[in-house]
């Protein structure tokens, strides 16, 4: 039997995927004739399933109505307007691939109605060619065809390509075109875009934060695919803390190592988490975040008073606490705080103290 658990970045597990309320919320909204939300920002800590959630939304929307939706995944590492224009040209201009004049993503301006032979690229000789304007022309065709466009962008951040694209996207939204956006990003990367001029709509757009996986569903998947008793499956689910990467990684390890002792399994999981997730998370934390985290390493939950009494600058407690909660590193429950990531305290004690 093939291992049903997957740790490959962005790949949707076929058999071990656990649906989330966030996925259902987004897909349900886009299923309406006139969706109430046009933009979703998916955020959460590394390894919490942001990219998988985006991929699942794209998959579900494609299956929802193949004749109505066109789903485009666009990379933030390249010219995003050019990528979108190329996809729209492919689907809505009536131009066949054989009619293209260059090897790169391009099409003639003559065919787009500009009257001259110009490739889709910025150059000193083509200053009159505006990608945003050409996209808008094609969006009018999309609207006339009663189609909708969903754009997925993974790992968004404050780059010139992203700022340019999101700014243009706001123009299309205000014009009422049937175009929608779902993007993922770390909290701090998305936050950096909030103060960019003309991106007010992006700040106000719905933010969806990844949450812990459903405990009962984790137990059920472990029980079925690992062939173990419910009591053993429960122990495994407890070890993951609902952290998506830990759930898949523990499944991979358990599938490969039959009859392994629980303590040995735990140590193997910790090694993977520490090396491939927590090291990067720690690097991205500020000094203040790290100092607060170092106070929380000895037990699962702490009262505010316990933490504040051990801080050098107690007045900064709400700032660091709230930021770590928004990042998905801490959880806040009935006045108590603690790590949302399994064994993160052990990682700090073993490698950072």
């Amino acid at each position: 039997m093939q291992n049903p658990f997957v740790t490959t970045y962005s790949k949707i597990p076929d058999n071990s995927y656990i649906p989330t309320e966030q996925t259902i919320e987004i897909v349900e909204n886009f299923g309406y004739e006139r969706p109430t939300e046009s933009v979703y920002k998916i955020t959460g800590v590394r390894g919490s399933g942001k990219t998988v959630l985006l991929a699942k939304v794209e998959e579900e929307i494609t299956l929802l109505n193949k004749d109505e939706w066109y789903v485009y995944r666009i990379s933030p590492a390249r010219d995003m307007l050019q990528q979108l224009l190329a996809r729209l040209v492919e689907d809505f201009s009536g131009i066949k691939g054989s009619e293209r004049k260059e090897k790169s993503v391009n099409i003639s301006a003559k065919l787009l109605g500009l009257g001259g032979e110009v490739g889709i690229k910025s150059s000193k000789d083509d200053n009159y060619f505006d990608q945003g304007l050409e996209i808008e022309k094609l969006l009018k065709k999309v609207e006339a065809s009663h189609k909708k466009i969903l754009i997925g962008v993974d790992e968004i951040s404050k780059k010139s390509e992203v700022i340019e694209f999101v700014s243009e996207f706001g123009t299309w939204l205000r014009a009422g075109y049937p175009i929608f956006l779902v993007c993922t990003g770390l909290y701090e990367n998305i936050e950096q875009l909030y103060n960019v001029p003309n991106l007010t709509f992006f700040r106000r757009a719905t933010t969806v934060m990844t949450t812990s996986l459903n405990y009962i569903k984790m137990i059920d998947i472990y029980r079925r695919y690992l062939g173990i008793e419910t009591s053993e499956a429960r122990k495994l689910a407890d070890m993951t803390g609902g952290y998506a990467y830990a759930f898949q990684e523990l499944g991979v390890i358990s599938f490969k190592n039959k009859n392994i002792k629980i303590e040995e399994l735990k140590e193997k999981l910790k090694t993977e988490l520490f090396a491939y997730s927590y090291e990067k998370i720690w690097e991205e934390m500020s000094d203040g975040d790290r100092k607060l985290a170092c106070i929380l390493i000895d037990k699962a939950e702490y009262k505010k008073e316990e933490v504040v009494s051990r801080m050098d600058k107690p007045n900064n407690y709400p700032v660091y606490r709230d930021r770590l909660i928004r990042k998905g590193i801490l959880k806040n429950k009935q006045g108590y705080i603690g790590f949302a990531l399994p064994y993160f305290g052990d990682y700090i004690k073993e490698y950072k103290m």
Side-chain angles (χ1 to χ4, degrees):
M1 177 182 175
Q2 183 178 1
N3 197 326
F5 298 94
V6 176
T7 56
T8 303
Y9 178 75
S10 82
K11 183 176 176 61
I12 302 176
D14 291 331
N15 299 308
S16 57
Y17 171 74
I18 296 179
T20 65
E21 292 181 2
Q22 296 95 326
T23 309
I24 296 170
E25 172 192 337
I26 297 172
V27 173
E28 184 178 81
N29 172 64
F30 287 149
Y32 297 130
E33 183 177 349
R34 293 181 178 275
T36 56
E37 302 292 338
S38 298
V39 179
Y40 283 95
K41 301 167 294 186
I42 302 170
T43 187
V45 70
R46 290 184 182 277
S48 62
K50 299 185 299 297
T51 302
V52 170
L53 199 161
L54 170 61
K56 193 62 178 178
V57 168
E58 292 171 329
E59 178 185 276
E60 292 291 334
I61 293 301
T62 300
L63 295 174
L64 187 67
N65 193 329
K66 292 183 179 180
D67 296 328
E68 181 181 5
W69 284 93
Y70 285 78
V71 179
Y72 303 149
R73 175 68 72 92
I74 292 179
S75 170
R78 298 183 288 116
D79 188 328
M80 298 174 71
L81 290 176
Q82 184 184 59
Q83 293 176 69
L84 176 58
L85 180 51
R87 299 297 297 272
L88 290 172
V89 164
E90 189 74 36
D91 291 326
F92 292 97
S93 70
I95 303 167
K96 299 178 182 179
S98 61
E99 294 176 289
R100 298 189 175 193
K101 303 297 183 181
E102 298 181 25
K103 293 180 180 179
S104 58
V105 180
N106 58 79
I107 203 68
S108 72
K110 181 178 182 179
L111 289 170
L112 288 174
L114 295 177
E117 297 289 336
V118 182
I120 296 178
K121 57 185 179 180
S122 298
S123 72
K124 295 179 180 178
D125 297 328
D126 304 328
N127 291 329
Y128 65 88
F129 185 82
D130 187 293
Q131 295 183 29
L133 179 60
E134 293 306 315
I135 290 173
E136 191 163 353
K137 289 180 181 179
L138 289 170
L139 287 177
K140 290 179 180 178
K141 291 189 175 183
V142 173
E143 186 174 38
S145 302
H146 303 290
K147 308 295 185 182
K148 297 176 183 177
I149 303 294
L150 174 63
I151 298 173
V153 184
D154 195 23
E155 293 297 339
I156 205 167
S157 61
K158 190 179 178 181
K159 296 180 179 180
S160 58
E161 296 88 352
V162 172
I163 293 173
E164 181 181 36
F165 176 81
V166 176
S167 180
E168 289 284 355
F169 192 92
T171 301
W172 306 328
L173 277 187
R174 288 189 289 273
Y177 295 121
I179 187 167
F180 304 86
L181 172 67
V182 180
C183 62
T184 76
L186 297 175
Y187 166 75
E188 55 269 31
N189 290 341
I190 288 179
E191 187 182 43
Q192 288 177 0
L193 289 166
Y194 289 166
N195 295 323
V196 176
N198 302 320
L199 299 189
T200 303
F201 83 93
F202 186 75
R203 179 171 189 166
R204 295 175 179 172
T206 302
T207 299
V208 173
M209 187 168 182
T210 54
T211 57
S212 298
L213 298 179
N214 183 278
Y215 183 65
I216 301 300
K217 291 179 180 178
M218 285 193 294
I219 293 173
D220 181 59
I221 288 176
Y222 280 149
R223 180 184 60 79
R224 287 190 290 121
Y225 290 104
L226 296 177
I228 58 179
E229 296 296 326
T230 300
S231 59
E232 292 300 309
R234 187 180 294 112
K235 292 178 183 178
L236 298 187
D238 288 338
M239 289 171 62
T240 71
Y243 181 42
Y245 178 63
F247 168 70
Q248 294 293 340
E249 188 61 60
L250 185 58
V252 169
I253 298 171
S254 300
F255 190 86
K256 291 180 178 179
N257 300 273
K258 304 294 184 181
N259 303 317
I260 187 174
K261 293 182 179 179
I262 197 74
E263 281 302 315
E264 186 178 352
L265 191 62
K266 174 182 172 181
E267 291 306 312
K268 285 182 176 290
L269 174 62
K270 287 170 64 174
T271 298
E272 295 300 313
L273 292 176
F274 293 178
Y276 299 110
S277 180
Y278 295 172
E279 189 69 14
K280 187 63 176 178
I281 290 172
W282 181 264
E283 288 177 3
E284 294 168 341
M285 293 168 63
S286 70
D287 289 340
D289 294 338
R290 292 172 183 170
K291 288 179 180 179
L292 176 58
C294 287
I295 296 174
L296 309 175
I297 61 176
D298 293 321
K299 57 182 183 177
E301 295 180 334
Y302 288 80
K303 290 183 179 181
K304 172 185 175 181
E305 293 75 17
E306 295 179 85
V307 181
V308 170
S309 66
R310 298 174 59 184
M311 293 183 67
D312 295 333
K313 297 179 179 179
N315 291 337
N316 289 336
Y317 170 75
V319 176
Y320 298 131
R321 177 202 60 197
D322 292 350
R323 185 161 62 210
L324 289 176
I325 289 173
R326 288 194 292 267
K327 286 183 176 183
I329 297 173
L330 290 187
K331 57 184 177 181
N332 184 20
K333 183 180 179 181
Q334 297 178 341
Y336 288 81
I337 62 169
F339 290 121
L341 305 172
Y343 311 117
F344 194 67
D346 290 349
Y347 164 75
I348 296 174
K349 283 192 286 187
E350 293 177 28
Y351 293 96
K352 301 302 175 182
M353 295 296 289

